[in-house]
Amino acid sequence: MTVQTPAPYAISQAAESAPAPGPEVTVLIIGAGNINFGSDEGPWNHSQRLERKLGSRLKVVGLVDPLVDRAEAVLAGKRKTPAAKAYEKTIVYPSVQAATTLLAPTPPQLVLLGCPPAFRGTTDPSRGFNTEKIITDAFPSCALFVEKPVGTGSVEQAKQVADMLESRPSNLVSVGYMLRYSAAVQRMKQIIKDNNLVVMMTSARYVMAYEASRKLAWWNKSVDCGPIVEQATHFVDLSRYFGGEVELDSVLAHSIEWYETPGQLSRMQIDEGLIPEEDRIPRFTSATWKYENGAIGHLEHGVALQGQVFSTELAVFADGYQMKLIDPYNNPTLHVRRPGSDVEEIHTFEGDDAFFVELSTFVDIATTGSSSLPVLSSFADAVKTYEATWAIRWASERTRRPRK
């Protein structure tokens, strides 16, 4: 049985309707890379969603990137699009410090922090990347949108950033775990609430199409921390969203490493020889854990498919119920089996764009103080996901087979 399920909030209508009129909204974008401006590898593109949300109200006052030429090229491309007016006065800054110093007299309302996680997530000025503190010191009332993961440093450093941000309630903070905003995910949460269910198990599978991944840093654990911390974080976060807090001491994991026979990849577009052997990423990781309420969690992450489309799904089990979410990034479909029936309901969600809803929620709360949804991922909550992904990575490294 196939059901066209309306979103619990008007996603398709919100995505397609004209932007609401109002005063201009000033934005500082940090990072001229893929997450903010799109790529061939996935559906992410924050600037495009802001353009759809705000239309002529959008004024991008600055773009921060140490690669100034790349930033200027990005802006040149934007100035050839229908959104050109939003970027006509955008200034490129080589550093966050330069941007905050020069923009302090007229602070932007919104800041999109989309630089690589290695350049944020600490309060330690000696590293030079205490970016969240620099921003909130300079702009004490700005709304800050931070990409995931929250950093690449220690969990303790990330917790210190969370404590710092929590002490500054005038700064709205949202972290980019957009799948929480998916209409399908919200429908699953509603089924659990309506039927007073207790989750028994979550099972997540995320298999990436690696052929289009040409960023050398992503393949290097010492830079981007490996695929569990950097990529599977979305599904660890969704698992926590349904299952609750993870008992970190219970995490068990195994991996297929690059030097094992099943770990040989034939279509890599980077030269792995440029990466030290001890820093090369695993090809598959399988992990299990207990939640604090006694439920079980399971994750499989793989670097295995070719082409461009990832294979992603999350199953949630409760007494009499199975909910299976398939392809939440591109074409979310929810299969629901209920008590008293062996037939699965198949729910589709036309027009569902979790990225758009996430940013729309952030913009609405920042500019009007209200929204149909609250911010669903605080920095402090995102740190718990960060901690869980590190626990999985460490558990898999403890059980690695030695290289022959």
Side-chain angles (χ1 to χ4, degrees):
M1 177 173 64
T2 302
V3 180
Q4 174 62 54
T5 304
Y9 37 86
I11 290 180
S12 58
Q13 293 87 343
E16 299 302 328
S17 61
E24 72 175 24
V25 178
T26 55
V27 181
L28 171 65
I29 299 178
I30 300 175
N34 295 347
I35 190 66
N36 284 332
F37 294 96
S39 73
D40 294 334
E41 196 181 342
W44 36 83
N45 190 328
H46 290 332
S47 61
Q48 186 181 78
R49 268 73 175 200
L50 280 180
E51 293 159 15
R52 286 168 55 191
K53 172 66 177 176
L54 293 169
S56 61
R57 298 171 61 197
L58 174 63
K59 303 298 176 186
V60 179
V61 296
L63 174 59
V64 177
D65 201 297
L67 299 178
V68 172
D69 289 345
R70 178 176 71 171
E72 293 287 6
V74 165
L75 290 177
K78 285 291 189 182
R79 288 165 181 158
K80 296 177 183 178
T81 71
K85 287 187 69 65
Y87 303 92
E88 63 183 359
K89 296 182 180 179
T90 305
I91 297 173
V92 173
Y93 298 96
S95 69
V96 172
Q97 191 67 66
T100 53
T101 299
L102 293 173
L103 290 172
T106 54
Q109 294 163 269
L110 312 179
V111 177
L112 264 61
L113 183 49
C115 62
F119 298 96
R120 45 188 171 83
T122 177
T123 59
D124 182 3
S126 66
R127 295 185 67 227
F129 304 135
N130 55 332
T131 306
E132 295 87 350
K133 187 175 188 302
I134 293 172
I135 293 168
T136 52
D137 280 349
F139 311 140
S141 298
C142 78
L144 179 61
F145 182 88
V146 183
E147 254 312 312
K148 47 54 60 181
V150 292
T152 59
S154 72
V155 172
E156 285 307 312
Q157 288 174 347
K159 288 180 177 178
Q160 290 170 12
V161 176
D163 291 342
M164 182 271 295
L165 293 173
E166 291 285 325
S167 72
R168 302 182 177 193
S170 59
N171 292 113
L172 173 71
V173 181
S174 177
V175 178
Y177 285 110
M178 75 288 172
L179 294 179
R180 293 189 178 205
Y181 297 82
S182 162
V185 167
Q186 290 302 310
R187 177 61 179 152
M188 294 166 73
K189 295 287 280 189
Q190 193 66 46
I191 290 172
I192 291 170
K193 180 181 178 181
D194 289 347
N195 296 281
N196 196 28
L197 302 179
V198 176
V199 171
M200 300 171 68
M201 179 178 178
T202 65
S203 182
R205 179 179 292 117
Y206 189 123
V207 186
M208 77 168 295
Y210 69 87
E211 191 176 3
S213 183
R214 298 180 176 88
K215 181 183 173 186
L216 189 65
W218 188 86
W219 296 83
N220 188 327
K221 289 193 297 185
S222 69
V223 180
D224 278 1
C225 296
I228 299 299
V229 177
E230 198 282 332
Q231 187 177 76
T233 183
H234 278 296
F235 272 48
V236 174
D237 186 73
L238 266 190
S239 299
R240 285 186 56 246
Y241 193 48
F242 287 102
E245 297 312 324
V246 176
E247 287 189 351
L248 299 175
D249 292 343
S250 72
V251 176
L252 301 171
H254 290 85
S255 62
I256 297 173
E257 296 297 322
W258 65 273
Y259 50 77
E260 296 183 280
T261 301
Q264 308 305 304
L265 300 177
S266 61
R267 300 295 293 272
M268 293 174 65
Q269 301 301 305
I270 58 101
D271 180 2
E272 200 171 29
L274 298 174
I275 302 171
E277 293 185 352
E278 65 272 16
D279 290 331
R280 297 177 189 177
I281 65 169
R283 307 323 196 200
F284 249 99
T285 303
S286 179
T288 60
W289 59 85
K290 291 281 283 184
Y291 292 105
E292 288 182 355
N293 73 342
I296 296 173
H298 169 237
L299 170 75
E300 291 178 358
H301 179 278
V303 182
L305 298 178
Q306 298 175 4
Q308 292 188 330
V309 178
F310 292 17
S311 175
T312 56
E313 64 179 69
L314 172 76
V316 176
F317 297 87
D319 184 18
Y321 285 81
Q322 172 185 278
M323 293 177 284
K324 186 165 58 177
L325 172 62
I326 299 173
D327 194 14
Y329 285 93
N330 301 297
N331 184 31
T333 305
L334 176 60
H335 296 239
V336 180
R337 176 171 166 173
R338 300 175 185 265
S341 175
D342 296 334
V343 178
E344 289 187 347
E345 305 166 4
I346 302 176
H347 300 256
T348 59
F349 300 83
E350 184 178 355
D352 185 19
D353 182 346
F355 286 99
F356 181 84
V357 178
E358 175 187 51
L359 277 177
S360 180
T361 298
F362 173 71
V363 169
D364 284 345
I365 296 174
T367 58
T368 71
S370 64
S371 170
S372 58
L373 278 175
V375 166
L376 296 179
S377 182
S378 69
F379 199 96
D381 190 68
V383 170
K384 293 179 181 179
T385 294
Y386 187 59
E387 188 171 29
T389 58
W390 271 107
I392 294 169
R393 173 180 159 175
W394 287 329
S396 71
E397 291 179 348
R398 285 194 296 268
T399 60
R400 283 181 301 192
R401 291 170 60 178
R403 185 181 179 188
K404 295 180 180 179

